[in-house]
Amino acid sequence: MKISDILKQDKKTLSFEVFPPKTSTGLESVRFAVEEIARLKPSFMSVTYGAGGGTSRYTLDIAKDIKDSSAVPTIAHLTCVSSTKETVREQIEQMKACGIENVLALRGDLTPELEQSDRNNWVFSHAVDLIREIRESEADFCIGGACYPEVHPESENQKEDIKYLKEKVDAGCSFLTTQMFFDNNLLYNFLYKIREAGITVPVIPGVMPITNANQVERAIKLSGSFMPQRFKNLVDQFGYSPEAMKQAGIVYATDQIIDLFANGIKNVHVYSMNKPEVAEKIMDNLSNILG
Ligand code: FAD
């Protein structure tokens, strides 16, 4: 099922993200975690794609497994920055062969090697190039893109970031998923600005439950997200205990999601990080709200 059709339905949705293992050694435990999350019957599940294409094979394998064995709709992420036209075309064909209907088209994170390479040699410099390539291939995918309520770290300013976001949507994105954020006001402000800029596609806020203190530093480094004092206090108070931090992090994420739903947002994506117990607690906390 296409994500665009799910988003058209008049109901709240909760979806989960999983990531593939780096090597075959971790495949079994990831498959188990993914099955457990799929058992919760989220509205859909997304499967990330490793920077530099490292885990591309597992992305499709896992996305196909979810779709075939649990009937949960899936979206496979695809990055392009280190790819050639041929590899992208190949990926598109493989996705079609696996029966994947949804793709999150991304540029991908820049590895240190890519940072140092000559950008003039890149075939795909931005996600918009990948979106155009997919559209040109005439594959009948529902394409999503990423967006950044707190501005992409490489952008000069928000105005420029939103200008390029509009270009990406106009190239053929049916919806957008946001980078994680820990203060909902940042999202509401962002939504106001992009709607004003003429971006009308559905935006799915991405919420990351922080369930251990070590995750905090990594999350800020990756996303550049602002940490509200309320969240910092929680890490200071409970970060010493893995169990207490997990409980507090789940409650914080649940609270964020409830506030989003209360403010008229219909669709929320949870960065569930291959943790079925976290996904299950959040789903339980929202059972009557999701209806
Ligand atoms: P783009 O849309 O290309 O934007 C990157 C930067 O370039 C921005 O500053 C933008 O303003 C600017 N820009 C865009 N178009 C142009 C243009 N035409 N000219 C000049 N500047 C332009 N990474 C992975 O490796 N694997 C994943 O599975 C993955 N999943 C993600 C899922 C979500 C929801 C999000 C938010 C991020 C994900 N990422 C993933 C990280 C993502 O790849 C990085 O954030 C990356 O730095 C940017 O990707 P993008 O697709 O947003 O890039």
Side-chain angles (χ1 to χ4, degrees):
M1 185 172 192
K2 291 206 169 125
I3 306 289
S4 49
D5 290 328
I6 296 172
L7 301 179
K8 272 183 210 148
Q9 294 168 1
D10 188 23
K11 61 176 197 184
K12 294 182 186 69
T13 70
L14 194 71
S15 49
F16 292 121
E17 180 173 290
V18 293
F19 59 86
K22 284 204 168 69
T23 63
S24 59
T25 325
L27 191 55
E28 208 173 310
S29 65
V30 170
R31 276 196 201 283
F32 178 74
V34 168
E35 272 170 29
E36 289 293 292
I37 295 174
R39 216 173 34 81
L40 302 171
K41 295 283 171 215
S43 302
F44 66 87
M45 285 170 72
S46 66
V47 188
T48 66
Y49 191 94
T55 57
S56 57
R57 213 185 81 224
Y58 302 126
T59 298
L60 284 192
D61 287 351
I62 291 172
K64 186 174 183 316
D65 274 1
I66 298 171
K67 187 178 65 63
D68 292 348
S69 56
S70 64
V72 171
T74 54
I75 174 159
H77 293 200
L78 180 62
T79 66
C80 63
V81 68
S82 58
S83 302
T84 61
K85 233 178 188 351
E86 290 67 38
T87 51
V88 164
R89 285 277 163 146
E90 213 173 285
Q91 282 294 326
I92 294 171
E93 288 311 313
Q94 283 178 17
M95 281 191 188
K96 283 203 272 186
C98 290
I100 304 289
E101 292 181 274
N102 305 289
V103 55
L104 194 75
L106 300 144
R107 183 197 68 183
D109 279 324
L110 299 181
T111 58
E113 299 80 62
L114 280 166
E115 292 268 20
Q116 279 164 17
S117 68
D118 181 356
R119 293 182 183 220
N120 293 321
N121 295 332
W122 295 1
V123 182
F124 299 95
S125 300
H126 300 287
V128 67
D129 304 324
L130 176 61
I131 294 163
R132 290 188 181 126
E133 185 68 28
I134 298 172
R135 284 287 173 238
E136 259 175 44
S137 77
E138 291 180 7
D140 184 24
F141 291 129
C142 164
I143 305 176
C147 64
Y148 302 83
E150 295 176 70
V151 185
H152 187 275
E154 289 164 42
S155 285
E156 292 270 306
N157 53 55
Q158 192 168 46
K159 202 168 172 203
E160 188 187 274
D161 208 25
I162 292 177
K163 182 184 92 179
Y164 289 126
L165 185 62
K166 171 97 170 52
E167 196 177 297
K168 196 152 80 168
V169 171
D170 290 346
C173 272
S174 303
F175 70 95
L176 297 165
T177 305
T178 76
Q179 179 61 284
M180 69 182 90
F181 56 90
F182 299 94
D183 177 347
N184 287 0
N185 287 325
L186 294 165
L187 176 90
Y188 302 138
N189 195 277
F190 172 71
L191 286 178
Y192 176 78
K193 287 182 178 159
I194 64 167
R195 298 309 185 210
E196 223 182 12
I199 298 172
T200 57
V201 293
V203 175
I204 310 178
V207 171
M208 164 83 92
I210 298 285
T211 54
N212 69 66
N214 301 334
Q215 226 182 318
V216 178
E217 206 178 311
R218 197 175 132 69
I220 301 176
K221 198 170 158 221
L222 259 177
S223 64
S225 302
F226 164 71
M227 290 281 163
Q229 191 58 43
R230 196 165 80 86
F231 188 80
K232 286 188 198 155
N233 292 345
L234 184 149
V235 179
D236 285 350
Q237 284 295 320
F238 307 118
Y240 73 95
S241 154
E243 286 314 311
M245 188 60 223
K246 188 184 252 187
Q247 201 164 43
I250 289 170
V251 169
Y252 191 93
T254 304
D255 187 45
Q256 251 193 298
I257 298 169
I258 291 175
D259 180 73
L260 291 167
F261 284 145
N263 278 281
I265 303 282
K266 268 176 42 199
N267 318 104
V268 178
H269 197 53
V270 178
Y271 296 116
S272 48
M273 306 290 289
N274 297 0
K275 291 178 183 155
E277 73 286 6
V278 173
E280 186 166 12
K281 282 259 159 61
I282 291 179
M283 203 80 155
D284 277 355
N285 288 345
L286 298 168
S287 56
N288 293 327
I289 289 171
L290 287 168

